[in-house]
């Protein structure tokens, strides 16, 4: 496929994979526990005070079973724990253990270094523009349907 033929979602996916692969390699090189990309994604959407498995699945865009499997693996590694939800006796919250908090801080440091590496490679202005575009409000996805959008002049 010619680079100009790739659409924006493909390019965003490739960019995400660049960060994911570099993060996993850096964590592995530092001797951190081996985690999957799904487990890595789960860690990034977990609230500081804990999150239910159902909410983690929603945020990750995966099934509840997939989120539960990722949680189970991270609990086995000692990075996550389950705790009662003070708001509901029937729900359990998933939260980081002290070791999980250390791992999360380490990953944050690696990601900051990767962003710095990217700025050195493609330019600080390009990274700043990319960040600004991604942080801008895009509106609801349902209003982006080209079939219902008004014609452009």
């Amino acid at each position: 496929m010619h680079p100009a033929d790739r659409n924006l979602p493909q390019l965003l996916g490739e960019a995400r994979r660049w960060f994911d692969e570099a993060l996993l390699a850096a964590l592995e090189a530092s001797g951190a526990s081996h985690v999957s990309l799904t487990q890595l994604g789960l860690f990034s959407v977990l609230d500081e005070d804990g999150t239910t498995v159902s909410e983690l699945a929603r945020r990750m865009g995966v099934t509840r079973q997939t989120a539960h499997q990722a949680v189970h693996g991270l609990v086995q590694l000692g990075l996550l724990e389950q705790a009662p939800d003070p708001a509901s006796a029937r729900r359990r919250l998933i939260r980081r253990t002290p070791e999980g908090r250390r791992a999360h801080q380490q990953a944050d440091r690696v990601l900051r270094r990767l962003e710095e590496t990217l700025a050195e490679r493609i330019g600080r202005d390009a990274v700043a523009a990319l960040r600004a575009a991604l942080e801008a409000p895009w509106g609801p996805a349902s209003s982006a349907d080209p079939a219902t959008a008004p014609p452009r002049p």
Side-chain angles (χ1 to χ4, degrees):
M1 175 180 286
H2 189 273
D5 294 336
R6 294 177 295 172
N7 60 39
L8 192 54
Q10 289 169 321
L11 294 170
L12 289 168
E14 288 176 20
R16 174 67 188 252
R17 278 189 298 282
W18 182 86
F19 275 100
D20 287 346
E21 290 171 8
L23 175 58
L24 287 174
L27 292 174
E28 186 174 308
S30 72
S33 299
H34 176 74
V35 296
S36 69
L37 285 176
T38 301
Q39 290 169 327
L40 192 66
L42 185 145
F43 237 72
S44 70
V45 298
L46 187 63
D47 293 330
E48 198 60 39
D49 294 331
T51 312
T52 64
V53 170
S54 295
E55 180 59 19
L56 289 170
R58 187 193 66 73
R59 291 177 184 178
M60 295 169 60
V62 299
T63 65
R64 192 175 182 285
Q65 180 182 4
T66 298
H68 189 273
Q69 289 172 343
V71 165
H72 180 73
L74 291 167
V75 167
Q76 293 278 4
L77 292 172
L79 299 174
L80 295 180
E81 63 185 2
Q82 295 184 42
D85 184 343
S88 170
R90 296 184 311 171
R91 290 191 321 205
R92 312 257 315 144
L93 292 177
I94 308 304
R95 61 185 184 196
R96 294 179 190 97
T97 62
E99 181 60 29
R101 283 191 290 280
R102 282 190 289 280
H104 186 67
Q105 291 166 349
Q106 178 185 12
D108 281 345
R109 286 190 300 273
V110 170
L111 288 171
R112 283 194 297 276
R113 286 195 310 266
L114 289 172
E115 195 168 322
E116 182 63 28
T117 298
L118 184 62
E120 291 168 3
R121 291 180 181 183
I122 69 171
R124 296 198 186 288
D125 290 345
V127 170
L130 178 59
R131 177 176 287 284
L134 294 172
E135 289 177 342
W138 290 17
S142 61
S143 67
D145 183 358
T148 61
R152 296 178 82 176

